[in-house]
Amino acid sequence: MAVTPTATTTEEVVVQRTDHENGFNFSVMDRARFQCYHLKAVIITGMGFFTDAYDLFCISLVTKLLGRIYYHIPSSAKPGSLPPNVAAAVNGVALCGTLAGQLFFGWLGDKLGRKRVYGVTLILMVVSSIGSALSFGSSPTAVMITLCFFRFWLGFGIGGDYPLSATIMAEYSSTTTRGAFIAAVFAMQGFGILSGGGVAILISRIFRSLFPAPPYSVDPLGSTPAQADYVWRIILALGALPAILTYYWRMTLPETPRYTALVAKDEKKACQDMAKVLQVDIPNENENDNDRDTSIVVVEERNDKSFGLFSSKFLKRHGLHLLGTAAAWFFVDVAYYSQNLFQKDIFSAIGWLPAAKTMSALDELFKIGRAQFLIALCGTVPGYWFTVALIDRIGRFKIQVVGFFFMTVFMFALALPYHHWSAAGNHVGFVVMYGLTFFFANFGPNATTFIVPAEIFPARFRSTCHGISAAAGKAGAIVGAFGFLYAAQNQDKTKTDAGYPAGIGMKNSLIVLGVINLFGLLFTFLVPESKGKSLEEMSRENEADDDVDPPTRV
């Protein structure tokens, strides 16, 4: 038996009993109009993703600076650079932590509740951001080990934000706005990347004016002032600020009514949480009926809800869906993180950034920050918000297919005539095309792979399955971070960065990324369309048998 709401007002929810359904009915939430509480939830969860993106991608801004400071070779004609193993560790260790955090906190979010573990992730991010900035030691090795230690735990906290934020926003939202709300949370990543570039520009300009230095070719040692060691630390430490500012509001979020009712089996608390979310009074029609609140939901134990994760019934209902969400996320992150973490190398390879020896350390940081800022401003941020505006109109499936398709097209358009783009006078065209790949990543699979896993799995597995899908994505990011670092090296051993073996070259690396995008497009066809459908309809939460066909795209 369930109870179906018949009307909603700003003051009261009027409900009536029905006897023809079995399970829970969340149609009040599914039909709810936009309210201030939705906006508050988007901002609170979104600021976590702002912090995530800033912390993950700001490391790409300072790796050149770290090489100049800690690995300077006096007799070298080139500025110091991080050795291959150190560069791989510094760039990739946070991604390893993120993968572990997605799996652990995704599982914990289903076991203990979304809210109970939500604040822990933020505390980890704050402590680890500050710890990264305070990396100590008397030798370069000690500093790098300390930095990697804290960045692993930073990634661990960031990883927990993925399944928890997506699940919380999905379970709060209505069917007509759910995609936009989840996309808006994820879109804060764009502002995080943008802010990383802006902070690098600002801090480097301040220190350049206070401590001017000549180019490396003029004075190798003097081109990196001693105060440059403060610069990278300040940039990393500022990642803790937005997390600190939103901690209180994050802890005031109520548990999602869907978790309370469907997983925790506490219908009275579910009614209270629902009333708080919708900002209405929910009358209790049957307070004396064994103290059960039946105004919205009535708990019914059903045998079909006993199957576990990866059981035969789960695999029959959701196995292909999980494969589709995980594989698509894996492939998009190989390409996306390769492009993001190594923008500076790509821009240097085509000549958009001057040769490192013609700049001081702070000049180089300034120009790398400016390049990231411009790409984020013109390609990354608009792509995210196009998704927010259109996802509930044209659907997740179409956006993901179109995104993967154009990422493939533009990557091949960059790679095949690569020598044309790297010639003098053609750099602007390359940057425009490169920016378009970011636009269609974010108005495409980089956003939709985050959204869909929060919509199509049962409530008791929702956070776990999202964590598994996200962890597959981070596995792709690790492949991209480590693989691209070596693969993009020049095929001529004499032209590689210090300590690196010859690679397949930038052109061939871009071709590989294009092929990877094509694989992501193919796996998209395993994922159902969830536009306009309730979470219970997509997850088949209330089905008593397996005779009903799984959800299909419309």
Side-chain angles (χ1 to χ4, degrees):
M1 177 173 61
V3 178
T4 305
T6 58
T8 62
T9 70
T10 58
E11 298 178 352
E12 182 178 286
V13 177
V14 181
V15 297
Q16 66 181 19
R17 295 173 182 266
T18 61
D19 296 318
H20 62 281
E21 295 180 5
N22 189 16
F24 300 98
N25 193 308
F26 293 98
S27 56
V28 173
M29 296 191 72
D30 288 337
R31 296 201 308 264
R33 296 181 180 180
F34 175 78
Q35 299 183 47
C36 291
Y37 204 91
H38 291 123
L39 179 61
K40 179 182 177 182
V42 168
I43 294 173
I44 293 171
T45 54
M47 286 308 294
F49 271 87
F50 175 96
T51 306
D52 296 348
Y54 180 95
D55 287 333
L56 281 178
F57 294 114
C58 69
I59 195 66
S60 68
L61 296 166
V62 301
T63 49
K64 293 280 191 181
L65 184 58
L66 290 171
R68 284 184 181 246
I69 295 171
Y70 295 106
Y71 293 91
H72 171 67
I73 301 174
S75 59
S76 176
K78 295 180 180 180
S81 61
L82 296 179
N85 59 329
V86 176
V90 168
N91 280 296
V93 69
L95 300 177
C96 295
T98 303
L99 187 155
Q102 287 165 335
L103 293 174
F104 176 74
F105 285 110
W107 169 79
L108 204 62
D110 284 333
K111 293 298 181 183
L112 300 181
R114 290 57 160 130
K115 178 187 174 180
R116 290 181 65 182
V117 295
Y118 203 30
V120 177
T121 62
L122 212 60
I123 293 172
L124 269 174
M125 285 190 280
V126 170
V127 172
S128 300
S129 292
I130 296 173
S132 298
L134 297 177
S135 296
F136 52 84
S138 57
S139 68
T141 300
V143 173
M144 293 301 125
I145 289 175
T146 310
L147 176 61
C148 288
F149 172 82
F150 282 111
R151 282 194 62 80
F152 175 86
W153 290 108
L154 173 67
F156 195 71
I158 289 172
D161 241 23
Y162 277 72
L164 295 174
S165 292
T167 301
I168 286 171
M169 203 66 246
E171 293 181 344
Y172 277 157
S173 304
S174 69
T175 55
T176 57
T177 59
R178 187 178 61 234
F181 285 162
I182 305 174
V185 170
F186 196 62
M188 294 300 290
Q189 276 199 342
F191 290 121
I193 297 170
L194 187 71
S195 296
V199 167
I201 291 171
L202 178 62
I203 300 299
S204 61
R205 289 201 67 167
I206 291 173
F207 275 77
R208 278 199 314 173
S209 64
L210 294 175
F211 310 103
Y216 183 87
S217 58
V218 174
D219 183 356
L221 187 61
S223 67
T224 306
Q227 295 80 8
D229 194 52
Y230 295 115
V231 173
W232 70 269
R233 297 177 186 274
I234 292 171
I235 292 173
L236 296 187
L238 288 175
L241 187 60
I244 292 172
L245 294 177
T246 56
Y247 178 77
Y248 170 78
W249 287 276
R250 178 173 285 206
M251 297 311 298
T252 62
L253 284 173
E255 183 57 85
T256 68
R258 280 183 162 94
Y259 178 85
T260 309
L262 298 176
V263 184
K265 307 296 186 183
D266 187 344
E267 60 188 77
K268 183 175 181 180
K269 182 66 165 56
C271 290
Q272 295 170 353
D273 291 340
M274 193 180 297
K276 188 173 183 179
V277 171
L278 298 176
Q279 298 179 335
V280 296
D281 294 325
I282 299 180
N284 190 342
E285 288 187 349
N286 198 14
E287 292 182 354
N288 297 323
D289 183 12
N290 294 323
D291 295 325
R292 290 163 63 94
D293 183 344
T294 57
S295 58
I296 295 295
V297 294
V298 174
V299 176
E300 297 285 350
E301 294 292 339
R302 299 219 315 274
N303 291 332
D304 74 298
K305 290 191 175 183
S306 63
F307 68 86
L309 186 66
F310 299 128
S311 65
S312 59
K313 186 172 287 189
F314 174 87
L315 293 176
K316 181 176 181 180
R317 289 187 173 189
H318 303 292
L320 288 178
H321 298 162
L322 185 57
L323 175 62
T325 57
W329 206 333
F330 173 86
F331 288 117
V332 71
D333 271 12
V334 172
Y336 188 74
Y337 278 81
S338 297
Q339 292 172 251
N340 254 308
L341 289 174
F342 301 104
Q343 282 185 40
K344 59 188 183 302
D345 302 303
I346 294 172
F347 292 148
S348 296
I350 65 163
W352 194 39
L353 293 178
K357 65 182 181 180
T358 66
M359 299 180 284
S360 70
L362 296 178
D363 287 336
E364 186 175 32
L365 175 61
F366 174 83
K367 290 178 180 178
I368 291 171
R370 184 180 62 182
Q372 177 168 307
F373 184 89
L374 290 174
I375 289 294
L377 181 66
C378 300
T380 305
V381 172
Y384 279 122
W385 290 97
F386 264 73
T387 301
V388 174
L390 298 176
I391 191 164
D392 285 316
R393 297 184 182 182
I394 64 179
R396 291 76 162 141
F397 175 76
K398 290 180 181 178
I399 288 178
Q400 188 161 315
V401 166
V402 169
F404 267 128
F405 174 78
F406 280 107
M407 286 175 70
T408 304
V409 168
F410 285 119
M411 198 61 71
F412 283 136
L414 289 173
L416 297 178
Y418 178 76
H419 296 297
H420 166 78
W421 296 119
S422 58
N426 298 327
H427 301 155
V428 173
F430 182 96
V431 172
V432 170
M433 298 274 281
Y434 189 69
L436 285 170
T437 65
F438 276 102
F439 175 84
F440 281 104
N442 296 309
F443 180 50
N446 192 46
T448 53
T449 52
F450 175 79
I451 296 166
V452 175
E455 300 180 306
I456 64 177
F457 299 107
R460 66 192 186 283
F461 305 136
R462 186 168 290 137
S463 180
T464 302
C465 289
H466 193 284
I468 292 170
S469 301
K474 281 301 167 287
I478 292 168
V479 170
F482 287 93
F484 193 84
L485 187 66
Y486 288 89
Q489 293 295 319
N490 200 292
Q491 293 174 292
D492 183 350
K493 181 65 175 67
T494 63
K495 296 181 181 180
T496 62
D497 293 336
Y500 287 87
I504 62 174
M506 189 64 69
K507 174 179 178 177
N508 292 329
S509 296
L510 293 175
I511 291 174
V512 170
L513 294 182
V515 173
I516 286 170
N517 290 329
L518 189 58
F519 276 110
L521 173 63
L522 296 177
F523 276 94
T524 298
F525 288 89
L526 297 179
V527 182
E529 177 60 76
S530 52
K531 181 184 69 144
K533 299 177 182 178
S534 72
L535 296 180
E536 288 67 46
E537 180 182 0
M538 289 304 304
S539 65
R540 306 172 66 185
E541 196 84 49
N542 292 326
E543 290 181 16
D545 54 55
D546 286 322
D547 296 334
V548 181
D549 292 332
T552 56
R553 285 182 291 276
V554 294

